[in-house]
């Protein structure tokens, strides 16, 4: 799966994809992430990518020209399943959307900055608008990294058995069960006996009960359907 991310701050997207599961996915050739510097597509002498808002008001607005040029260049080489704009007023990202995107081939992701991007970019090019939650960040880079991480770990072959996504919270209707590792007794705080029993069926039953109890307590809304 291929991701093309357009940003004015490519440096912000270096580290999130350079470690652990996301790095492994790229090394295995399962995911390819290309970060494009919007400034390379600026057409004026100053290489500026933003301008004052029409009608006045605070904050700079990202201009249509560089985005259009970058998007059109990418579109001439690849077919995109979606062109996604990260935006606080978009649909709220969740595990269902991550699953939906994880079976796509090519996604383009636009990161906004400052006050936002010229509305015409959204009207003319964007096919999907995604928010990572009801709060406002300085730019779309961290939201894009969050979304790409959630998508990549769902692509078959990325996680191994030890890190299987199937029992994760939100993958089904239950939150995940509590987990423990050695030591079995830390200053008198013991790991539940059942987990040391070696009885797989009973352990699975215990995990299911714990997950159910946790979901009822913390997120009963997940069980409503
Ligand atoms: N004026 C805008 C916010 C601009 S924040 C508004 O009130 O809706 C600058 C950029 O950061 C946005 O264009 C978007 O790309 C990104 N961003 C900020 N918060 C975000 C969020 N919760 N989810 C996704 N992207 C976000």
């Amino acid at each position: 799966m291929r991701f093309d991310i357009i940003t004015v701050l490519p440096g912000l997207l270096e580290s999130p994809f350079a470690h652990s599961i996301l790095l492994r996915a790229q090394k295995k050739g399962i995911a390819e992430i290309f970060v494009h510097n919007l400034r390379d597509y600026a057409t004026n002498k100053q290489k500026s990518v933003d301008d004052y808002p029409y009608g006045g008001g605070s904050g700079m607005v990202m201009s249509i020209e560089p985005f259009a040029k970058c998007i059109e260049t990418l579109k001439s080489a690849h077919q995109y399943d979606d062109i996604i704009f990260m935006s606080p007023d978009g649909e709220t990202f969740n595990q269902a959307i991550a699953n939906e995107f994880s079976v796509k081939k090519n996604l383009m992701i636009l990161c906004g900055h400052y006050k936002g991007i010229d509305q015409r970019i959204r009207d003319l090019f964007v096919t999907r608008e995604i928010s990572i939650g009801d709060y406002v960040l300085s730019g779309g880079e961290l939201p894009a990294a969050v979304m790409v991480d959630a998508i990549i770990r769902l692509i078959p072959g990325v996680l191994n058995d030890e890190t299987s996504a199937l029992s994760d919270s939100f993958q089904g209707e239950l939150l995940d069960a509590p987990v423990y590792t050695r030591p079995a007794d830390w200053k008198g705080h013991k790991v539940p006996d059942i987990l040391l029993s070696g009885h797989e069926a009973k352990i699975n039953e215990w995990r299911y009960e714990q997950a159910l109890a946790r979901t009822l307590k913390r997120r009963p809304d997940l069980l409503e359907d």
Side-chain angles (χ1 to χ4, degrees):
M1 180 170 183
R2 177 187 170 107
F3 297 87
D4 287 282
I5 310 178
I6 306 175
T7 169
V8 271
L9 295 170
L12 262 181
L13 288 165
E14 274 164 24
S15 176
F17 303 130
H19 306 275
S20 181
I21 292 168
L22 298 193
L23 178 64
R24 209 164 57 227
Q26 292 169 84
K27 283 192 168 159
K28 283 186 182 170
I30 298 173
E32 288 183 295
I33 303 169
F34 298 92
V35 177
H36 306 274
N37 190 342
L38 187 66
R39 230 168 269 284
D40 295 342
Y41 297 85
T43 43
N44 55 12
K45 270 204 296 268
Q46 303 77 28
K47 293 274 167 207
S48 68
V49 291
D50 59 341
D51 211 333
Y52 292 98
Y54 272 122
S58 62
M60 298 297 276
V61 176
M62 298 182 81
S63 321
I64 189 165
E65 276 292 342
F67 266 114
K69 208 169 154 204
C70 183
I71 294 168
E72 273 158 4
T73 305
L74 289 170
K75 275 173 78 172
S76 66
H78 307 278
Q79 270 210 310
Y80 289 91
D81 297 290
D82 266 310
I83 298 181
I84 303 164
F85 174 49
M86 305 312 300
S87 185
D89 59 9
E91 55 182 314
T92 308
F93 190 62
N94 59 22
Q95 194 70 9
I97 300 175
N99 274 290
E100 187 192 328
F101 283 149
S102 72
V103 295
K104 306 284 187 196
K105 278 203 174 67
N106 293 334
L107 292 179
M108 195 193 300
I109 303 170
L110 317 185
C111 304
H113 245 278
Y114 318 115
K115 190 71 184 151
I117 68 176
D118 189 307
Q119 180 60 35
R120 289 167 293 182
I121 306 168
R122 302 170 70 166
D123 295 343
L124 296 172
F125 299 108
V126 169
T127 60
R128 199 89 183 246
E129 301 192 323
I130 301 285
S131 163
I132 62 159
D134 290 349
Y135 41 84
V136 176
L137 297 156
S138 316
E141 290 75 16
L142 299 179
V146 166
M147 183 178 76
V148 170
D149 182 327
I151 296 169
I152 289 183
R153 64 199 306 285
L154 291 171
I155 305 174
V158 170
L159 297 185
N160 47 33
D161 274 356
E162 294 88 73
T163 49
S164 165
L166 291 178
S167 63
D168 281 341
S169 300
F170 310 116
Q171 198 53 33
E173 67 278 13
L174 295 181
L175 298 175
D176 205 354
V179 291
Y180 298 87
T181 186
R182 287 187 290 186
D185 184 338
W186 187 75
K187 299 183 180 177
H189 300 278
K190 294 201 174 109
V191 169
D193 285 338
I194 182 78
L195 295 177
L196 311 176
S197 70
H199 195 304
E200 202 186 324
K202 288 224 165 98
I203 291 172
N204 286 339
E205 198 180 317
W206 179 86
R207 286 194 171 135
Y208 176 76
E209 283 164 7
Q210 292 290 317
L212 187 60
R214 191 175 260 192
T215 311
L216 278 169
K217 188 161 175 234
R218 297 183 181 199
R219 293 294 305 273
D221 57 298
L222 296 177
L223 298 167
E224 269 160 22
D225 294 343

